[in-house]
Amino acid sequence: MKRLLTPLLSLAVLLLCTACDCICSPKGTTLTGVVKCDGKAVAGVAVTDGEQIVYTNDKGVYNIASTKPYGLVYITTPSGYEPIAIDSVRQSFWARTTKESSAKERHDFELKKVDDSKLSVLFMADTHFCNDPKRNDFTHFRELMMPSINRAAAEADGYKFAVALGDITWDRFWYATGMDIESVPQHLADHNFPMPFYCVHGNHDYDPSVPATDNPNFNAIQRFCNVFGPTFYSMDKGGVHFVMLDDIVYKNEVKKNQKVAKGVVGSRNYDMYVDDAQLSWLAKDLAAVDKSVPIVICMHAQFFTYNINGERVYNFGNEKGELLVNQLKDFESVTIFTGHSHRTASFVHPQYPNIVEYNITSVCGELWNSPNSCGINIGEDGADAGIYLCSFEGKKMSKQWYSAVNGSKYPFRAYDMNEVSKVYKESKELQYLCKLQKNQVDYSKPKYKNYIYVNCWAWEDGCTLTATENGKPLKVEKTVDSDPLAAKVVFAKPKIFETKKENKKINIHSRAINMFRFKASSATTPVEITLTTPDGHTYTQTFNRPAALLEK
């Protein structure tokens, strides 16, 4: 009788589970659920707790014996699908755990089918929403940035979404003005943001009220996780494997004599690298991806940077940089998108040319200050604030720059150095800046007569920049010099006279790495400047001279 009872009980349990849509999980399971599309199971979907990765079975079921290390469970969305929407900008590829680590809980995920064989991704960095009336960021975002975002969305082919590369908010204003991370979805909705919005977090997206003694790297990011989910995750779109990584390690230490804003308890300091636990997860994530699949890595802080001598170096330091490279080097194509620097640059790995980084300038420019002072929004290197729209089809990627500066048609700015020289001669602030900062260039010198300088922030390997005067080619040379507009608007502010010593950080940032120059035969002849990018875009400007540094 006992032998018969056991299979009968098993059958009864199975029928009961089926009837009530229960999941019969192995012993020790703490996270379980089903992934479905239109009511049907989706098999082979990666599900993770940020530590382990499992895959749904033919019934769409996943089970994880998890300690819930990050308080999250989330999926890698497969190509051809998208998660259902939480609201007009967020999608439900993640869920917060709700029970203690040893308790079992269920989280289902619902997908819908999409055609993402053609894919357009809008990359944007460093919005620094703060609701500061002195910066007027809400108005500037609406009037300067949203027209470009809407134009990019209208011109995007195929399936589209946006990726924000961190520093969506500005932590020092969370408690002072109420523009915190929880406000972002509604803020974007109020501006009718036109596409789904994925993001990584930046150093300014931590809760600054969490002290250094309370594990701030974990606890200060929990409010972000409540709104936008995991700080590292992956998704497959259009045959491209996207990986969002967290390269900020928050410390928020108290420093001597520090001044803090309302609600802030520390200096908001941090280190920059991808930690070991995350690298372990990444190895598991990439193990399931064929080496021929294009990889797109999105992080906040730049992977490469330039030191004060103009040399390319790992921003993380060599050891931490190599740990990440070792996981990426064998893939055919790896493209890294980063923000943080409020500057533009592209880097090709010197040993692995399959690894390329695009460090994108900020949406906020120089923290929303320049629109108030000069009417246009520029970053610290003089580049227009703006965004990149990247198109993916198969293994091919192409990029298009969209400026936040009204009327801008070119991903570069030309300077008539004769007129620039006059500004430098007349400006006491610029003269003081050039004495204070050894990397600033004094353009008042006679040697710059009849030169035209071009800051080409879209420059990358494969670009060409040409100039002609009356149809005759001019010799174009690449240089690393100060951007005159950034020098005047960003660095030589009226309060510069209060600065008594050189700021090494600002000194490093005071030069534009993609500056070009050529010399005309006179002070008045127009020149024609043409930039051709490896994506096949050509931009031609007839630069009429004389041309003021700032148009009235």
Side-chain angles (χ1 to χ4, degrees):
M1 186 66 182
K2 288 183 179 179
R3 291 180 182 177
L4 180 62
L5 183 60
T6 300
L8 286 174
L9 282 173
S10 298
L11 178 61
V13 169
L14 178 62
L15 291 173
L16 181 62
C17 288
T18 303
C20 66
D21 196 28
C22 292
I23 297 173
C24 298
S25 304
K27 184 178 179 180
T29 295
T30 57
L31 293 173
T32 189
V34 181
V35 180
K36 293 182 178 180
C37 177
D38 296 327
K40 298 180 180 179
V42 183
V45 177
V47 187
T48 181
D49 61 354
E51 190 174 85
Q52 303 176 64
I53 300 177
V54 302
Y55 296 86
T56 56
N57 62 21
D58 57 0
K59 295 181 175 59
V61 172
Y62 71 89
N63 292 292
I64 310 177
S66 172
T67 59
K68 309 172 188 175
Y70 296 97
L72 291 154
V73 59
Y74 48 102
I75 66 172
T76 295
T77 306
S79 287
Y81 295 90
E82 72 172 7
I84 59 172
I86 298 175
D87 50 37
S88 63
V89 292
R90 295 177 296 168
Q91 295 188 318
S92 56
F93 67 95
W94 57 276
R96 269 298 208 178
T97 59
T98 57
K99 298 181 179 180
E100 62 184 24
S101 60
S102 60
K104 183 179 177 181
E105 56 187 288
R106 175 172 174 170
H107 299 279
D108 294 346
F109 297 94
E110 185 71 27
L111 303 174
K112 64 178 182 179
K113 290 184 178 180
V114 295
D115 180 5
D116 57 12
S117 55
K118 286 185 178 180
L119 180 66
S120 294
V121 184
L122 188 153
F123 291 97
M124 54 192 286
D126 298 84
T127 50
H128 281 272
F129 294 134
C130 57
N131 196 22
D132 179 9
K134 294 181 180 179
R135 288 174 169 80
N136 206 17
D137 55 295
F138 282 17
T139 299
H140 294 326
F141 182 73
R142 181 179 67 251
E143 295 180 355
L144 299 179
M145 197 68 254
M146 280 307 302
S148 295
I149 290 173
N150 288 328
R151 183 162 63 92
E155 295 175 2
D157 288 330
Y159 184 74
K160 57 195 174 188
F161 62 91
V163 175
L165 297 166
D167 281 3
I168 308 161
T169 58
W170 193 348
D171 49 350
R172 62 171 286 200
F173 290 97
W174 277 26
Y175 296 94
T177 69
M179 184 60 224
D180 50 29
I181 198 68
E182 289 88 351
S183 306
V184 172
Q186 186 61 53
H187 186 56
L188 293 173
D190 289 344
H191 286 86
N192 297 313
F193 197 84
M195 62 187 77
F197 182 88
Y198 293 89
C199 57
V200 296
H201 77 87
N203 52 287
H204 289 290
D205 297 321
Y206 285 92
D207 182 351
S209 72
V210 177
T213 55
D214 192 20
N215 189 9
N217 191 55
F218 181 84
N219 289 322
I221 203 61
Q222 293 309 308
R223 288 176 63 180
F224 175 96
C225 294
N226 289 336
V227 179
F228 289 111
T231 62
F232 58 94
Y233 57 99
S234 66
M235 55 188 179
D236 293 310
K237 301 285 188 182
V240 179
H241 188 64
F242 291 84
V243 183
M244 314 298 176
L245 292 178
D246 171 5
D247 63 356
I248 302 296
V249 181
Y250 193 60
K251 297 158 79 172
N252 204 25
E253 296 167 324
V254 176
K255 296 185 178 179
K256 186 177 180 180
N257 299 324
Q258 72 177 32
K259 295 180 180 180
V260 296
K262 181 180 179 181
V264 178
V265 299
S267 59
R268 299 177 291 135
N269 62 323
Y270 53 91
D271 293 326
M272 293 178 284
Y273 61 88
V274 178
D275 64 27
D276 292 342
Q278 201 173 163
L279 288 171
S280 177
W281 171 88
L282 180 63
K284 298 168 190 172
D285 175 78
L286 293 178
V289 183
D290 190 273
K291 295 298 188 290
S292 65
V293 172
I295 305 295
V296 173
I297 303 289
C298 301
M299 306 183 292
H300 178 57
Q302 64 271 35
F303 188 46
F304 288 109
T305 189
Y306 286 104
N307 63 21
I308 198 166
N309 299 316
E311 301 165 331
R312 176 184 50 206
V313 295
Y314 285 127
N315 189 47
F316 300 169
N318 289 338
E319 180 184 350
K320 298 294 186 181
E322 288 294 337
L323 288 173
L324 181 55
V325 162
N326 286 339
Q327 297 209 28
L328 303 173
K329 64 185 181 181
D330 294 329
F331 287 88
E332 288 183 11
S333 172
V334 179
T335 307
I336 302 172
F337 288 95
T338 55
H340 186 62
S341 70
H342 295 220
R343 302 166 66 80
T344 57
S346 68
F347 303 91
V348 178
H349 194 286
Q351 187 177 353
Y352 304 106
N354 55 313
I355 301 176
V356 180
E357 178 185 5
Y358 296 99
N359 186 217
I360 300 176
T361 193
S362 57
V363 165
C364 72
E366 191 261 322
L367 297 173
W368 299 112
N369 285 311
S370 66
N372 299 323
S373 60
C374 70
I376 63 174
N377 195 16
I378 62 170
E380 294 176 347
D381 60 348
D384 286 358
I387 54 177
Y388 263 122
L389 179 67
C390 295
S391 299
F392 298 85
E393 188 168 6
K395 296 183 179 182
K396 182 181 178 182
M397 183 190 81
S398 62
K399 303 180 302 304
Q400 178 75 38
W401 174 260
Y402 289 81
S403 173
V405 175
N406 289 335
S408 177
K409 300 177 182 178
Y410 316 104
F412 59 81
R413 180 177 293 106
Y415 297 105
D416 180 349
M417 300 310 288
N418 294 329
E419 298 301 307
V420 168
S421 177
K422 295 176 184 177
V423 174
Y424 270 68
K425 288 177 181 177
E426 296 169 358
S427 171
K428 293 180 180 180
E429 290 85 1
L430 282 169
Q431 288 299 310
Y432 184 78
L433 175 69
C434 292
K435 292 177 182 179
L436 184 68
Q437 298 286 353
K438 65 183 180 181
N439 272 359
Q440 284 289 345
V441 180
D442 185 357
Y443 289 125
S444 67
K445 306 296 184 184
K447 64 181 180 179
Y448 298 105
K449 182 179 179 180
N450 290 343
Y451 268 97
I452 293 92
Y453 272 58
V454 180
N455 185 349
C456 182
W457 52 83
W459 185 263
E460 62 178 296
D461 282 7
C463 282
T464 59
L465 187 75
T466 61
T468 60
E469 180 185 31
N470 296 322
K472 180 181 177 181
L474 299 173
K475 181 182 178 181
V476 178
E477 57 183 340
K478 195 173 188 294
T479 183
V480 178
D481 278 324
S482 309
D483 180 278
L485 185 58
K488 178 173 176 56
V489 172
V490 176
F491 297 108
K493 295 177 180 178
K495 288 187 178 181
I496 191 173
F497 297 111
E498 299 172 10
T499 306
K500 303 300 181 184
K501 62 181 181 179
E502 182 179 51
N503 183 314
K504 292 182 178 180
K505 179 179 178 181
I506 292 176
N507 194 32
I508 292 173
H509 289 171
S510 67
R511 293 201 175 191
I513 63 170
N514 293 319
M515 191 76 81
F516 297 81
R517 67 179 186 177
F518 49 89
K519 191 172 185 178
S521 63
S522 76
T524 58
T525 51
V527 294
E528 190 169 87
I529 305 166
T530 299
L531 170 69
T532 303
T533 73
D535 301 315
H537 301 297
T538 298
Y539 307 87
T540 299
Q541 178 186 12
T542 299
F543 186 53
N544 294 307
R545 300 158 62 238
L549 175 59
L550 274 173
E551 297 294 337
K552 302 295 183 182

